[in-house]
Amino acid sequence: MTNDLATAPLRTRAPGTRPRRAGIASLSALALGAFAVGTTEVVIAGLLPEVATDFGVSLPTAGLLVSGYAVGMVVGSPLLTVLGARLPRKHLLFWLVALFTAAGLLSALAPGFEVLLAGRVLSALAGGAYVGTAAVVAAGLVAPERRASAIATVFMGLSLANVLGVPGGTALGQALGWRAAFWGVTAIGAVLLAAIAALVPPIPRERGVGFRQELAVFRRGRVWLALAATAFGWAPYLTVLTYITPLLTEVTGFDDRTVPLMLVLIGIGMVVGTPLAGRLADRALLPTLYGALAGITVVSAFLILAVQSKPAAIVGFLLFGLVGAAVIPPSQTRVLEAARGADNLASAANVSAFNIGNAGGPLLAGAALSAGRGYTSSLWIAAALGATGLTLALATTALHRRTHRHRTSAATRR
């Protein structure tokens, strides 16, 4: 029996129980929650001018609604997961959705900017913990050989949010006022509450695994390397998207009306890439992870040349959406396997790692632009971040194999 990360099983259920097989309804309910979280996270970006005017604040101040959400996701995912560790997983999901829905309602009714910001942070706290928990639940509902595909189904909700939720919510907010977007998210939350209650089967806590046991797993160096690989490997995505408008208009020569269409094209690539990567990761986890990280590195580098041509840019950004989404399922699965015995906390920590990448990449690109490096500097930075993520992923495997060899040698000597 091998102890390699690529084949080691996840412990997502109590010992002695038989594996559950999830119907499409259960996984769809979990994906609906990810769709709501993804929509809520990004939809505000297109409505910032309206919010700033309504509350009489500057646009940079209104931008705190975006950065505040990212910070809330980083902090809230592990925090609420720890606080809810004693709850059965279905109950934890239900209460996280209830908090997320209440936060959406608070945002829709906010009488002032500070209350709206509080609503955004609460949404992020609940949303980050929800996505991490939903990924663990999905992995535990299926046979071991289908876990990456189940995780991909959950994250498909995030991909669909980019294609449907964000454009639809932005259009709704622009037509009926920014509050309408939050009313829409609140409505989705109410539907999600009913879906979780009706469609997700009861999932008890794993016996004998508590917070201290899960925290002890984080003494493993490979867990931190795997989390770092997630952060660096995902960072190219938002690094490029943050500055896609000036890239397309100032470098490629498209007009402003093309930008939403290109974003939809990237979203289509994500919808294709997410399930494809899940199926491939079920068959060969490590090659899929390495391939996805190499892909986002190569495509980011290709875009440096492709943005000089309209046809090449269209192809390049479609591929970028595909390889960007392909990073998600194997990264999430890899972290769960590296941190076996700490499924809840590891999944939540990986959601935080994704959001650290979301914050760090654009920050580096912004610094390069401020230094006068030009719009294509974001693509150079994205390629470098992807290459770093690939290096860290390879280092994770090397560390695991070295540790395993030392343990095997020690056991042999005894």
Side-chain angles (χ1 to χ4, degrees):
M1 178 180 295
T2 181
N3 194 32
D4 191 87
L5 277 172
T7 56
L10 292 170
R11 290 182 63 209
T12 54
R13 55 183 182 275
T17 60
R18 300 176 64 184
R20 305 177 184 88
R21 287 198 173 273
I24 189 64
S26 300
L27 294 176
S28 295
L30 297 173
L32 177 62
F35 174 84
V37 172
T39 299
T40 302
E41 180 176 10
V42 183
V43 72
I44 192 65
L47 302 173
L48 287 181
E50 290 86 349
V51 173
T53 300
D54 195 11
F55 288 127
V57 299
S58 67
L59 196 59
T61 299
L64 292 174
L65 298 172
V66 177
S67 56
Y69 195 98
V71 172
M73 289 278 281
V74 171
V75 175
S77 183
L79 177 62
L80 288 190
T81 299
V82 168
L83 293 177
R86 295 185 178 276
L87 292 174
R89 285 172 177 164
K90 178 173 180 176
H91 293 179
L92 177 58
L93 283 174
F94 185 87
W95 289 113
L96 289 172
V97 172
L99 177 59
F100 178 82
T101 305
L105 181 61
L106 178 64
S107 299
L109 297 172
F113 179 79
E114 292 78 8
V115 176
L116 177 57
L117 180 59
R120 290 282 295 169
V121 172
L122 283 176
S123 291
L125 291 172
Y130 172 87
V131 172
T133 303
V136 173
V137 169
L141 287 173
V142 299
E145 66 272 13
R146 295 179 55 215
R147 283 174 177 145
S149 292
I151 290 171
T153 299
V154 173
F155 281 93
M156 176 65 80
L158 297 177
S159 299
L160 289 173
N162 285 281
V163 179
L164 301 175
V166 174
T170 301
L172 183 66
Q174 290 174 343
L176 302 178
W178 63 266
R179 295 179 190 272
F182 289 102
W183 282 113
V185 170
T186 302
I188 295 174
V191 172
L192 179 60
L193 277 172
I196 294 294
L199 301 176
V200 177
I203 305 165
R205 288 190 304 116
E206 186 175 348
R207 295 177 182 176
V209 178
F211 172 62
R212 289 185 179 179
Q213 290 85 348
E214 290 211 4
L215 193 61
V217 172
F218 281 79
R219 296 173 183 169
R220 304 172 187 167
R222 67 177 182 271
V223 174
W224 292 103
L225 280 174
L227 291 170
T230 293
F232 279 94
W234 177 246
Y237 181 75
L238 207 60
T239 300
V240 173
L241 256 63
T242 299
Y243 297 101
I244 190 172
T245 297
L247 273 171
L248 292 174
T249 57
E250 301 298 327
V251 179
T252 311
F254 285 114
D255 59 38
D256 292 339
R257 293 171 296 178
T258 306
V259 176
L261 297 176
M262 194 67 77
L263 291 174
V264 171
L265 189 66
I266 292 172
I268 292 172
M270 294 187 71
V271 170
V272 174
T274 302
L276 177 62
R279 288 193 293 270
L280 291 175
D282 280 332
R283 298 177 182 178
L285 175 59
L286 295 182
T288 302
L289 177 62
Y290 301 153
L293 293 172
I296 200 167
T297 301
V298 170
V299 173
S300 296
F302 168 70
L303 282 172
I304 297 169
L305 299 175
V307 292
Q308 309 297 329
S309 163
K310 291 181 179 180
I314 292 171
V315 173
F317 281 110
L318 176 62
L319 290 174
F320 184 77
L322 191 151
V323 296
V327 170
I328 300 173
S331 295
Q332 187 78 9
T333 306
R334 179 67 179 280
V335 167
L336 288 175
E337 292 195 347
R340 289 192 308 277
D343 297 341
N344 292 324
L345 192 55
S347 186
N350 205 45
V351 172
S352 294
F354 279 121
N355 283 278
I356 289 172
N358 280 343
L363 186 64
L364 289 173
L369 286 174
S370 298
R373 297 297 183 182
Y375 293 120
T376 57
S377 61
S378 62
L379 301 174
W380 286 100
I381 290 171
L385 290 169
T388 303
L390 176 59
T391 302
L392 289 168
L394 292 168
T396 305
T397 301
L399 178 61
H400 171 78
R401 289 175 176 168
R402 186 176 65 183
T403 302
H404 178 54
R405 283 197 300 270
H406 287 171
R407 289 177 179 174
T408 302
S409 299
T412 301
R413 287 194 297 270
R414 287 197 297 268

